[in-house]
Each structure stands twice: as C-alpha cells, then as structure tokens.
Amino acid sequence: YSNIKLELAKYGDKNERIRRLDILVYQIEEIKKANLQTNEEEILIEKRHRLRNAEKIINALKNANELLDALPI
C-alpha cells in the first residue's frame, strides 16, 4: 500500500490526477474524431510542399508580369 501511495504521489494530488485524466480522455476522443489515415502526416507534408512551390511560382509570375507591364510598347 505504501509503495502504491508513493507512486501515485508522483502524479500530484487526487484533483490533479482527475484533471489530467479528463484532459487525456478529451485528447483521445479528439484523436478518434479526427479519423486519421495511415501516412496522413506524410501526405499533408507533401501537400504543404506543393502549396509552397505553387506560391513561389505565382509570385514569380506576378513579378514577371509587372516587369512586362513596365516595358514600353
């Protein structure tokens, strides 16, 4: 009993343990609701990479268009 009591003391008082447990239950439910797919993180990283490249291309095209507009006709 003493060992168990000492082990529990590492995790704070009863109210702290209840609060922590509530947080963990909430986080587990949120993860379940997210309906994550296998390799989803890698897929999202790849999409972010493509979007960043698209932004660079768009900015380069805008700059080129501005330069062309500045040329005398």
Side-chain angles (χ1 to χ4, degrees), residues 9-23:
K10 292 180 187 178
Y11 300 102
D13 65 6
K14 181 179 178 179
N15 290 332
E16 178 63 23
R17 289 191 304 269
I18 290 170
R19 188 185 71 75
R20 180 72 177 138
L21 182 59
D22 285 343
I23 291 169

Side-chain angles (χ1 to χ4, degrees), residues 3-59:
N3 292 338
I4 294 171
K5 194 170 182 179
L6 287 173
E7 188 68 26
L8 283 175
K10 292 180 187 178
Y11 300 102
D13 65 6
K14 181 179 178 179
N15 290 332
E16 178 63 23
R17 289 191 304 269
I18 290 170
R19 188 185 71 75
R20 180 72 177 138
L21 182 59
D22 285 343
I23 291 169
L24 291 172
V25 168
Y26 172 78
Q27 290 174 337
I28 290 169
E29 289 304 314
E30 288 298 305
I31 290 169
K32 286 178 182 178
K33 285 182 199 175
N35 196 24
L36 301 175
Q37 305 299 317
T38 305
N39 299 325
E40 187 167 358
E41 183 177 6
E42 291 82 10
I43 293 167
L44 291 173
I45 290 170
E46 177 60 32
K47 285 182 181 181
R48 182 180 63 190
H49 180 71
R50 278 189 262 135
L51 287 172
R52 286 183 178 166
N53 285 339
E55 287 176 5
K56 289 178 185 177
I57 292 168
I58 289 169
N59 288 332

